[in-house]
Amino acid sequence: MTVARRDTDAMRALRGLEDGRSSVRLRAALAVGTEPDPRFVDKLVERCAIEPEFFVRDMLTWALTRHPVSLTLPELLREVRSERAQARSQALHTLSKIGDRRAWPAITWELLSDAEDDVARSAWRAAVVLVPGGEESALAAMLTTQLGRGERETQLSLSQALLALGEVTAPALHAATTASDPRVRAHAIATQRLLRDPDAGFGLAIEEAKRVVALAGAPGTDDENRADR
């Protein structure tokens, strides 16, 4: 393929990323990932911040993973500080797919507790992938401060992140079972049960945990302790 042909195809793909039809944008992202080119990185990152369709965003992330980390990492680290929630969320998602632990310092408390649930969920997933060895317990302690947050999808994401860290989460989860907030206690108990039995469904675990908390009436009672054994 001649240089002129490559340039023509590249320009066509870049224009396709801005097409009004999602199917065209999807094909363009696939093309960009299939034939990586340093000129694509800025546009891919820019598009991630505004692309409305989930499946297109996922293809954009895949395309970014096909480019050299030396080019993508600096751009993504800037995006996690963006004022646009989708930019932060998608950049974190892409960092989790790249898996380069040099990104770890960018996973700040502000991101792990971001007011936007989508951003926080992406930060939790990225954190468990990027956390350096020996810092898992500290991360677990940070993540447990978010127990009880949001609706089912958000709570499930947090439980999955804690489960991915493994047994190091046990002390922080145990401490959370005595929290004053019943939502926090229920979420902690449900996650404990999933840690013991990964095949248990989250829906059943959280509903049972809510019943335990409701029957206990207060943290630390015998009923709750018996149910958690």
Side-chain angles (χ1 to χ4, degrees), residues 12-149:
R12 182 182 297 113
L14 289 175
R15 288 194 300 271
L17 292 175
E18 299 180 345
D19 195 277
R21 295 161 293 180
S22 61
S23 60
V24 175
R25 299 197 302 277
L26 182 66
R27 289 196 299 271
L30 175 61
V32 168
T34 302
E35 296 289 342
D37 186 313
R39 292 173 296 178
F40 295 149
V41 172
D42 286 348
K43 178 58 71 174
L44 289 169
V45 172
E46 176 188 314
R47 189 66 207 177
C48 280
I50 59 175
E51 172 55 50
E53 298 292 343
F54 168 79
F55 56 89
V56 179
R57 291 199 302 273
D58 227 30
M59 188 65 77
L60 292 168
T61 282
W62 172 78
L64 281 165
T65 68
R66 297 271 295 160
H67 288 77
V69 176
S70 60
L71 297 177
T72 58
L73 190 59
E75 296 289 336
L76 294 168
L77 293 179
R78 279 193 289 271
E79 284 293 280
V80 301
R81 300 190 296 271
S82 171
E83 294 184 0
R84 186 188 293 270
Q86 182 173 305
R88 299 196 301 278
S89 177
Q90 197 65 25
L92 287 162
H93 174 65
T94 306
L95 287 171
S96 74
K97 295 299 183 183
I98 292 173
D100 191 309
R101 287 184 169 174
R102 287 176 294 178
W104 169 246
I107 310 301
T108 60
W109 166 248
E110 287 75 17
L111 289 171
L112 293 171
S113 60
D114 199 284
E116 296 288 340
D117 285 346
D118 284 348
V119 177
R121 288 196 297 266
S122 293
W124 301 337
R125 289 190 292 267
V128 299
V129 171
L130 301 173
V131 61
E135 296 192 35
E136 294 90 348
S137 294
L139 175 59
M142 295 175 69
L143 292 179
T144 55
T145 66
Q146 301 300 296
L147 287 165
R149 169 180 174 161

Side-chain angles (χ1 to χ4, degrees), residues 150-172:
E151 300 303 322
R152 184 182 184 282
E153 182 182 2
T154 297
Q155 293 192 8
L156 174 59
S157 290
L158 181 57
S159 290
Q160 289 172 333
L162 288 164
L163 294 174
L165 291 173
E167 289 295 331
V168 298
T169 64

Side-chain angles (χ1 to χ4, degrees), residues 136-212:
E136 294 90 348
S137 294
L139 175 59
M142 295 175 69
L143 292 179
T144 55
T145 66
Q146 301 300 296
L147 287 165
R149 169 180 174 161
E151 300 303 322
R152 184 182 184 282
E153 182 182 2
T154 297
Q155 293 192 8
L156 174 59
S157 290
L158 181 57
S159 290
Q160 289 172 333
L162 288 164
L163 294 174
L165 291 173
E167 289 295 331
V168 298
T169 64
L173 284 172
H174 178 72
T177 63
T178 64
S180 59
D181 187 335
R183 283 173 58 87
V184 173
R185 298 203 304 277
H187 195 182
I189 292 169
T191 307
Q192 280 183 324
R193 293 183 175 179
L194 290 171
L195 188 61
R196 291 194 298 268
D197 181 11
D199 293 328
F202 179 77
L204 290 175
I206 194 68
E207 290 306 317
E208 177 61 21
K210 288 177 182 177
R211 285 194 292 272
V212 169

